[in-house]
Amino acid sequence: MREPRDIAPLFPDFYHGVLFAVGKEPSPQNLLALIEYIGQMLTLNAVVWFQQTGETQAHERFMERFGGGGGDEQKLEMIPDDMIDFLWSWRPSTHQALRDWIPELEQMLTGPDSMLWKFGDELPFGIWHMED
């Protein structure tokens, strides 16, 4: 029996909180740009976990499902939550890692070194690719 997810959904409160903290309106553009950015960050963590465990099949399933921003049937705003659900179901050892990662993510996104501060009122898509 799998332990039920005990991480609050990111949509919408987490995203609104991050945008508020960095002085951005929760416009559709800003929400989707932030969600895309978080999806890329979560994918990076997932790939590391898959490599550490040698679980190539799980990695392939994850990339099939979420590569390129998710499938046509997925709502973009739900992709990071769907990723968390996938990882939660995949392996119990991710539970604590995900619990720890969410507050770290919030600090990364709202801290003084966050990429989100570098833009005006509107966040662009592709923030992940702008980092050095």
Side-chain angles (χ1 to χ4, degrees):
M1 174 167 285
R2 299 256 184 222
E3 181 181 351
R5 173 179 166 170
D6 60 15
I7 296 170
L10 300 183
F11 182 78
D13 294 339
F14 180 85
Y15 304 130
H16 286 201
V18 168
L19 291 172
F20 178 79
V22 296
K24 311 282 190 252
E25 292 294 321
S27 68
Q29 171 69 31
N30 286 343
L31 282 166
L32 291 176
L34 177 62
I35 288 165
E36 176 193 53
Y37 189 38
I38 290 171
Q40 292 293 325
M41 297 169 108
L42 191 49
T43 297
L44 176 65
N45 278 283
V47 168
V48 169
W49 292 332
F50 297 136
Q51 289 174 347
Q52 287 174 340
T53 61
E55 298 248 7
T56 56
Q57 289 181 336
H59 183 187
E60 289 169 7
R61 284 193 322 272
F62 184 91
M63 295 311 291
E64 236 175 64
R65 183 164 173 193
F66 300 112
D72 292 338
E73 74 286 351
Q74 289 181 293
K75 293 182 178 182
L76 292 176
E77 64 270 15
M78 298 308 296
I79 290 176
D81 279 307
D82 291 345
M83 290 175 165
I84 290 169
D85 289 340
F86 179 100
L87 294 167
W88 191 274
S89 296
W90 164 60
R91 195 175 185 100
S93 63
T94 63
H95 297 183
Q96 191 58 49
L98 287 164
R99 288 180 191 121
D100 294 343
W101 187 73
I102 298 299
E104 291 170 12
L105 172 66
E106 186 173 18
Q107 293 217 343
M108 284 187 290
L109 293 169
T110 61
D113 297 328
S114 172
M115 287 286 290
L116 303 181
W117 292 107
K118 298 180 181 188
F119 305 103
D121 292 338
E122 188 170 278
L123 297 175
F125 289 109
I127 295 170
W128 179 260
H129 302 290
M130 296 176 190
E131 294 189 298
D132 330 80

